[in-house]
Amino acid sequence: MSPIYPEFAKLRDEFQHILADTARNLIDSQAAVQRAIEDFTETDSRSGRQLDKILEGKMVGGTQYHDPNDPNMNPPKDENGDHIADPVPVPKQPYDGYTNEGDQKVPDSNGDGKIDQTDIDAHTRKLEQTRDDLNGMKDK
């Protein structure tokens, strides 16, 4: 037996303990993830069955949410049975070279033809003011 064996044995035992804890945590995590998958699957299936009932015009909780015979609740279908829907128009935004304030190039605020720290500081203050204005609107 070597003189370092007692210290080595302590280190080995501690490492085995760490590995055992890690394995136990992995098994517990796997069980929790499996439970979450099962719960999600059941909830999703139940919601799907309830939606099918609603679309068929059946009563759900004492209320008929959808009447399959009401033309106002049922968009027209094409020859394949697919609903015909008008695409929602997307308003065109003018493109003025950037998508938001932060994408703007730093302007030459003092007109000397160079971008220096003064220009960067002024631009940064403008961006911070815009951010503060937006956050102020969000809080109202």
Side-chain angles (χ1 to χ4, degrees):
M1 202 183 290
S2 166
I4 63 167
Y5 182 78
E7 294 303 316
F8 170 76
K10 285 184 205 175
L11 178 63
R12 181 202 62 210
D13 293 345
E14 182 64 25
F15 189 60
Q16 284 179 333
H17 179 72
I18 290 169
L19 289 175
D21 278 349
T22 301
R24 191 172 23 259
N25 289 338
L26 284 172
I27 290 168
D28 290 347
S29 297
Q30 182 272 334
V33 168
Q34 184 64 37
R35 175 70 188 266
I37 290 169
E38 290 168 2
D39 288 350
F40 173 80
T41 301
E42 175 55 32
T43 301
D44 189 52
S45 296
R46 192 173 346 134
S47 297
R49 289 189 300 271
Q50 190 170 19
L51 181 58
D52 287 341
K53 286 180 183 178
I54 290 170
L55 293 175
E56 292 167 3
K58 295 179 180 173
M59 301 285 273
V60 175
T63 304
Q64 183 181 10
Y65 293 98
H66 176 74
D67 180 359
N69 299 315
D70 182 352
N72 292 324
M73 290 186 172
N74 299 285
K77 296 182 180 180
D78 63 14
E79 62 276 355
N80 297 324
D82 295 325
H83 289 287
I84 300 170
D86 294 331
V88 177
V90 177
K92 294 196 179 218
Q93 300 288 330
Y95 179 72
D96 48 2
Y98 66 96
T99 56
N100 63 49
E101 288 285 328
D103 291 340
Q104 287 186 41
K105 292 183 180 177
V106 175
D108 178 15
S109 59
N110 55 13
D112 64 0
K114 299 178 188 171
I115 304 298
D116 54 23
Q117 191 61 45
T118 304
D119 300 320
I120 293 170
D121 292 344
H123 186 65
T124 301
R125 281 191 300 278
K126 180 181 174 191
L127 293 175
E128 288 170 348
Q129 183 60 50
T130 301
R131 179 201 61 212
D132 293 345
D133 291 346
L134 291 171
N135 284 332
M137 285 187 267
K138 175 187 77 170
D139 294 337
K140 289 183 180 182

